[in-house]
Amino acid sequence: MKEGKLYIVPTPVGNLEDMTLRGIRILKEVDLILAEDTRISGHLLKHYEIMTPMKSHHKYNEHETVAAVINKIKDGSDIALISDAGTPGISDPGFLITRECRKNGIEVECLPGATAFVPALVASGIPCDRFAFEGFLPPKKGRQTRLQELAQENRTVVIYESPLRLQRTLKDLAEYFGEERQVSVCREISKLHETYHRGTISEILAYFSENQAKGEIVIIVEGNKSK
């Protein structure tokens, strides 16, 4: 019997029109969709009239469910993995199941598509030919050490952040990177109220000290030019 396949399917980070035609087709054709949050993904599936069954697959249960998923694929089922927004595996669940599929000789096909940091980086006006993707900084343990390391990085640095922690992170960047380092803060990528704020770290910190941030945040920081 022919084995199934794991499809990794990016989903829109904002505008539902960012979903690719290929992604829609795959989600309609597979036997099962693994979703980070079935309630959130349910809106996407309803919009595109996708009737494929869904099952929860997130960071809190992936270690318990991955073996069953592997067996299901070995039995011939095609399964798609999606996250709430963007490409699975980029600061979202996805690595574990992909690794286990590779270990078991199962084919993995990742579709190109939405990822929040790419438009934030390209539109920032900060060099994007070479960059270091950091994702979310450690909230506590190891944060200071990581910031010290990143401050010496000569490539552009990409950081994800929540609006609730944005001011704290900008203060940390000012302390470790220097207040004059150029930074771009992008929020609500691909949504109606997408905005970019570009300037020195001190300027952007001053702005967000007076204006509350909303939505998911991507911070683009200029690399260390002193090296």
Side-chain angles (χ1 to χ4, degrees):
M1 182 175 66
K2 181 180 179 296
E3 278 192 354
K5 180 192 293 189
L6 175 68
Y7 292 92
I8 300 174
V9 181
T11 55
V13 296
N15 194 321
L16 289 179
E17 293 180 2
D18 293 339
M19 190 71 190
T20 68
L21 294 175
R22 183 179 169 207
I24 295 168
R25 176 179 61 80
I26 293 297
L27 292 181
K28 287 183 175 181
E29 292 178 351
V30 294
D31 301 293
L32 177 67
I33 297 172
L34 299 177
E36 186 178 2
D37 188 325
T38 56
R39 295 166 299 180
I40 293 175
S41 297
H43 298 298
L44 175 69
L45 269 58
K46 182 179 180 180
H47 181 81
Y48 286 108
E49 299 180 344
I50 299 170
M51 307 302 292
T52 308
M54 280 192 296
K55 184 176 181 180
S56 293
H57 182 84
H58 45 73
K59 64 180 180 180
Y60 300 109
N61 73 354
E62 60 180 342
H63 286 85
E64 289 74 34
T65 61
V66 67
V69 172
I70 295 296
N71 290 333
K72 198 171 184 65
I73 298 175
K74 284 185 173 182
D75 288 339
S77 294
D78 288 326
I79 293 180
L81 175 68
I82 62 176
S83 63
D84 291 346
T87 301
I90 305 296
S91 294
D92 283 322
F95 165 70
L96 179 63
I97 190 171
T98 300
R99 182 186 66 185
E100 294 307 306
C101 282
R102 291 300 189 190
K103 284 182 177 180
N104 284 271
I106 294 171
E107 185 176 357
V108 177
E109 184 172 334
C110 182
L111 279 62
T115 303
F117 78 80
V118 174
L121 174 63
V122 174
S124 69
I126 294 174
C128 56
D129 54 334
R130 298 174 66 246
F131 62 92
F133 176 74
E134 177 64 19
F136 289 96
L137 289 166
K140 293 180 181 179
K141 185 178 180 180
R143 184 180 178 91
Q144 180 179 348
T145 300
R146 192 69 191 126
L147 283 163
Q148 290 172 339
E149 294 170 348
L150 290 173
Q152 301 305 313
E153 175 62 64
N154 59 8
R155 296 171 293 177
T156 297
V157 178
V158 181
I159 298 170
Y160 282 172
E161 194 50 275
S162 80
L164 298 177
R165 294 192 298 265
L166 178 60
Q167 283 193 46
R168 177 198 174 192
T169 293
L170 288 172
K171 289 177 181 177
D172 286 343
L173 292 177
E175 178 181 351
Y176 291 96
F177 286 57
E179 295 184 351
E180 297 305 307
R181 190 87 69 93
Q182 290 290 310
V183 65
S184 174
V185 173
C186 179
R187 67 177 193 87
E188 298 285 74
I189 290 285
S190 191
K191 296 180 182 177
L192 180 63
H193 300 292
E194 175 177 322
T195 59
Y196 289 83
H197 299 276
R198 167 78 189 272
T200 65
I201 293 176
S202 62
E203 290 170 340
I204 302 306
L205 175 58
Y207 175 83
F208 282 107
S209 295
E210 299 292 333
N211 298 272
Q212 184 178 4
K214 296 180 180 179
E216 295 302 313
I217 305 291
V218 184
I219 304 172
I220 310 296
V221 192
E222 178 186 32
N224 188 334
K225 302 302 180 185
S226 66
K227 297 184 66 175

mmCIF file of all heavy atoms in Angstrom, residues 6 11 22 28 37 40 53 60 69 87 90 107 112 123 137 141 153 177 184 194 203 209:
data_model
loop_
_atom_site.group_PDB
_atom_site.id
_atom_site.type_symbol
_atom_site.label_atom_id
_atom_site.label_comp_id
_atom_site.label_asym_id
_atom_site.label_seq_id
_atom_site.Cartn_x
_atom_site.Cartn_y
_atom_site.Cartn_z
ATOM 1 N N LEU A 6 3.055 14.200 4.102
ATOM 2 C CA LEU A 6 2.780 15.359 4.943
ATOM 3 C C LEU A 6 2.965 16.620 4.114
ATOM 4 O O LEU A 6 4.022 16.839 3.517
ATOM 5 C CB LEU A 6 3.724 15.409 6.145
ATOM 6 C CG LEU A 6 3.595 16.660 7.026
ATOM 7 C CD1 LEU A 6 2.246 16.671 7.757
ATOM 8 C CD2 LEU A 6 4.736 16.754 8.032
ATOM 9 N N THR A 11 -0.616 29.623 5.808
ATOM 10 C CA THR A 11 -1.923 30.274 5.791
ATOM 11 C C THR A 11 -1.731 31.780 5.973
ATOM 12 O O THR A 11 -0.694 32.217 6.467
ATOM 13 C CB THR A 11 -2.831 29.723 6.907
ATOM 14 O OG1 THR A 11 -2.162 29.842 8.172
ATOM 15 C CG2 THR A 11 -3.169 28.267 6.653
ATOM 16 N N ARG A 22 -2.866 26.853 -4.800
ATOM 17 C CA ARG A 22 -2.338 25.513 -4.532
ATOM 18 C C ARG A 22 -2.630 25.093 -3.100
ATOM 19 O O ARG A 22 -2.988 23.937 -2.836
ATOM 20 C CB ARG A 22 -0.840 25.495 -4.809
ATOM 21 C CG ARG A 22 -0.189 24.126 -4.639
ATOM 22 C CD ARG A 22 1.274 24.231 -4.950
ATOM 23 N NE ARG A 22 1.994 23.044 -4.562
ATOM 24 C CZ ARG A 22 3.288 23.046 -4.241
ATOM 25 N NH1 ARG A 22 3.982 24.169 -4.271
ATOM 26 N NH2 ARG A 22 3.889 21.925 -3.886
ATOM 27 N N LYS A 28 -8.141 20.887 0.412
ATOM 28 C CA LYS A 28 -9.373 20.200 0.011
ATOM 29 C C LYS A 28 -9.125 18.718 -0.296
ATOM 30 O O LYS A 28 -10.015 17.885 -0.124
ATOM 31 C CB LYS A 28 -9.987 20.879 -1.217
ATOM 32 C CG LYS A 28 -10.622 22.221 -0.922
ATOM 33 C CD LYS A 28 -11.273 22.817 -2.168
ATOM 34 C CE LYS A 28 -12.011 24.117 -1.835
ATOM 35 N NZ LYS A 28 -12.674 24.716 -3.018
ATOM 36 N N ASP A 37 -5.007 25.792 16.086
ATOM 37 C CA ASP A 37 -6.252 26.090 16.796
ATOM 38 C C ASP A 37 -7.388 25.905 15.800
ATOM 39 O O ASP A 37 -7.534 26.703 14.867
ATOM 40 C CB ASP A 37 -6.226 27.524 17.339
ATOM 41 C CG ASP A 37 -7.424 27.828 18.251
ATOM 42 O OD1 ASP A 37 -8.526 27.314 17.982
ATOM 43 O OD2 ASP A 37 -7.253 28.591 19.219
ATOM 44 N N ILE A 40 -9.691 28.981 15.094
ATOM 45 C CA ILE A 40 -9.148 30.011 14.213
ATOM 46 C C ILE A 40 -9.112 29.513 12.770
ATOM 47 O O ILE A 40 -9.550 30.205 11.842
ATOM 48 C CB ILE A 40 -7.742 30.430 14.678
ATOM 49 C CG1 ILE A 40 -7.829 31.137 16.026
ATOM 50 C CG2 ILE A 40 -7.067 31.328 13.647
ATOM 51 C CD1 ILE A 40 -6.500 31.486 16.639
ATOM 52 N N PRO A 53 -11.759 17.241 7.394
ATOM 53 C CA PRO A 53 -11.740 17.178 8.865
ATOM 54 C C PRO A 53 -10.469 17.791 9.436
ATOM 55 O O PRO A 53 -9.395 17.717 8.827
ATOM 56 C CB PRO A 53 -11.801 15.673 9.161
ATOM 57 C CG PRO A 53 -12.326 15.044 7.915
ATOM 58 C CD PRO A 53 -11.881 15.910 6.781
ATOM 59 N N TYR A 60 1.344 22.085 22.917
ATOM 60 C CA TYR A 60 1.031 21.421 24.180
ATOM 61 C C TYR A 60 0.684 19.938 24.007
ATOM 62 O O TYR A 60 0.685 19.191 24.988
ATOM 63 C CB TYR A 60 -0.130 22.132 24.868
ATOM 64 C CG TYR A 60 0.164 23.578 25.171
ATOM 65 C CD1 TYR A 60 -0.485 24.589 24.459
ATOM 66 C CD2 TYR A 60 1.100 23.951 26.137
ATOM 67 C CE1 TYR A 60 -0.207 25.927 24.723
ATOM 68 C CE2 TYR A 60 1.385 25.284 26.392
ATOM 69 C CZ TYR A 60 0.726 26.263 25.681
ATOM 70 O OH TYR A 60 1.009 27.585 25.931
ATOM 71 N N VAL A 69 0.028 10.356 14.245
ATOM 72 C CA VAL A 69 0.035 11.008 12.926
ATOM 73 C C VAL A 69 0.949 10.250 11.978
ATOM 74 O O VAL A 69 0.595 9.993 10.813
ATOM 75 C CB VAL A 69 0.473 12.482 13.052
ATOM 76 C CG1 VAL A 69 0.667 13.099 11.674
ATOM 77 C CG2 VAL A 69 -0.554 13.270 13.850
ATOM 78 N N THR A 87 3.707 30.273 8.111
ATOM 79 C CA THR A 87 4.251 28.966 7.763
ATOM 80 C C THR A 87 4.557 28.152 9.016
ATOM 81 O O THR A 87 5.319 28.617 9.869
ATOM 82 C CB THR A 87 5.540 29.121 6.931
ATOM 83 O OG1 THR A 87 5.245 29.862 5.745
ATOM 84 C CG2 THR A 87 6.104 27.757 6.541
ATOM 85 N N ILE A 90 7.871 28.122 11.724
ATOM 86 C CA ILE A 90 8.495 29.424 11.964
ATOM 87 C C ILE A 90 7.832 30.029 13.196
ATOM 88 O O ILE A 90 6.781 30.658 13.119
ATOM 89 C CB ILE A 90 8.336 30.367 10.755
ATOM 90 C CG1 ILE A 90 8.870 29.711 9.483
ATOM 91 C CG2 ILE A 90 9.044 31.683 11.021
ATOM 92 C CD1 ILE A 90 10.354 29.414 9.499
ATOM 93 N N GLU A 107 7.542 11.278 2.952
ATOM 94 C CA GLU A 107 7.746 12.468 2.135
ATOM 95 C C GLU A 107 7.085 13.683 2.781
ATOM 96 O O GLU A 107 5.948 13.628 3.236
ATOM 97 C CB GLU A 107 7.164 12.244 0.733
ATOM 98 C CG GLU A 107 7.445 13.388 -0.233
ATOM 99 C CD GLU A 107 6.941 13.120 -1.641
ATOM 100 O OE1 GLU A 107 6.419 12.005 -1.883
ATOM 101 O OE2 GLU A 107 7.065 14.009 -2.487
ATOM 102 N N PRO A 112 5.315 27.073 -0.628
ATOM 103 C CA PRO A 112 5.729 28.446 -0.350
ATOM 104 C C PRO A 112 4.509 29.291 -0.038
ATOM 105 O O PRO A 112 3.396 28.994 -0.486
ATOM 106 C CB PRO A 112 6.384 28.891 -1.668
ATOM 107 C CG PRO A 112 5.730 28.052 -2.713
ATOM 108 C CD PRO A 112 5.416 26.731 -2.062
ATOM 109 N N ALA A 123 10.180 45.533 3.398
ATOM 110 C CA ALA A 123 9.612 46.882 3.365
ATOM 111 C C ALA A 123 10.204 47.812 4.424
ATOM 112 O O ALA A 123 9.829 48.977 4.499
ATOM 113 C CB ALA A 123 8.092 46.815 3.537
ATOM 114 N N LEU A 137 12.375 36.545 21.595
ATOM 115 C CA LEU A 137 13.468 36.537 22.566
ATOM 116 C C LEU A 137 13.071 35.730 23.799
ATOM 117 O O LEU A 137 11.881 35.630 24.123
ATOM 118 C CB LEU A 137 13.792 37.967 23.002
ATOM 119 C CG LEU A 137 14.462 38.863 21.969
ATOM 120 C CD1 LEU A 137 14.395 40.318 22.424
ATOM 121 C CD2 LEU A 137 15.905 38.435 21.749
ATOM 122 N N LYS A 141 14.973 33.674 31.424
ATOM 123 C CA LYS A 141 16.272 33.004 31.462
ATOM 124 C C LYS A 141 16.983 33.103 30.119
ATOM 125 O O LYS A 141 16.434 32.738 29.084
ATOM 126 C CB LYS A 141 16.081 31.531 31.846
ATOM 127 C CG LYS A 141 17.382 30.782 32.033
ATOM 128 C CD LYS A 141 17.122 29.341 32.450
ATOM 129 C CE LYS A 141 18.430 28.593 32.637
ATOM 130 N NZ LYS A 141 18.207 27.188 33.044
ATOM 131 N N GLU A 153 25.862 41.218 16.359
ATOM 132 C CA GLU A 153 25.542 40.651 15.043
ATOM 133 C C GLU A 153 25.604 41.743 13.966
ATOM 134 O O GLU A 153 24.997 42.796 14.102
ATOM 135 C CB GLU A 153 24.129 40.040 15.086
ATOM 136 C CG GLU A 153 23.613 39.520 13.777
ATOM 137 C CD GLU A 153 24.450 38.381 13.221
ATOM 138 O OE1 GLU A 153 24.497 37.318 13.859
ATOM 139 O OE2 GLU A 153 25.052 38.579 12.145
ATOM 140 N N PHE A 177 21.840 47.466 22.315
ATOM 141 C CA PHE A 177 22.216 47.778 20.935
ATOM 142 C C PHE A 177 22.644 49.242 20.784
ATOM 143 O O PHE A 177 23.326 49.589 19.830
ATOM 144 C CB PHE A 177 21.034 47.535 19.990
ATOM 145 C CG PHE A 177 20.727 46.093 19.726
ATOM 146 C CD1 PHE A 177 20.444 45.205 20.749
ATOM 147 C CD2 PHE A 177 20.715 45.603 18.420
ATOM 148 C CE1 PHE A 177 20.141 43.878 20.510
ATOM 149 C CE2 PHE A 177 20.407 44.274 18.162
ATOM 150 C CZ PHE A 177 20.129 43.403 19.202
ATOM 151 N N SER A 184 12.967 49.175 12.631
ATOM 152 C CA SER A 184 11.645 49.291 12.026
ATOM 153 C C SER A 184 10.702 48.363 12.783
ATOM 154 O O SER A 184 11.003 47.180 12.970
ATOM 155 C CB SER A 184 11.684 48.896 10.535
ATOM 156 O OG SER A 184 10.376 48.868 9.983
ATOM 157 N N GLU A 194 -2.149 47.813 8.727
ATOM 158 C CA GLU A 194 -0.708 47.560 8.694
ATOM 159 C C GLU A 194 0.057 48.883 8.779
ATOM 160 O O GLU A 194 -0.239 49.828 8.055
ATOM 161 C CB GLU A 194 -0.345 46.829 7.396
ATOM 162 C CG GLU A 194 1.155 46.632 7.201
ATOM 163 C CD GLU A 194 1.468 45.848 5.934
ATOM 164 O OE1 GLU A 194 0.715 44.907 5.626
ATOM 165 O OE2 GLU A 194 2.450 46.195 5.255
ATOM 166 N N GLU A 203 13.885 56.846 19.201
ATOM 167 C CA GLU A 203 12.719 57.505 18.603
ATOM 168 C C GLU A 203 11.494 56.590 18.615
ATOM 169 O O GLU A 203 10.380 57.013 18.943
ATOM 170 C CB GLU A 203 13.028 57.938 17.172
ATOM 171 C CG GLU A 203 14.013 59.090 17.076
ATOM 172 C CD GLU A 203 14.484 59.342 15.660
ATOM 173 O OE1 GLU A 203 14.369 58.428 14.803
ATOM 174 O OE2 GLU A 203 14.978 60.460 15.399
ATOM 175 N N SER A 209 5.934 54.632 23.689
ATOM 176 C CA SER A 209 5.681 54.989 25.081
ATOM 177 C C SER A 209 4.425 55.856 25.183
ATOM 178 O O SER A 209 3.771 55.916 26.226
ATOM 179 C CB SER A 209 6.874 55.743 25.669
ATOM 180 O OG SER A 209 8.013 54.907 25.716
#
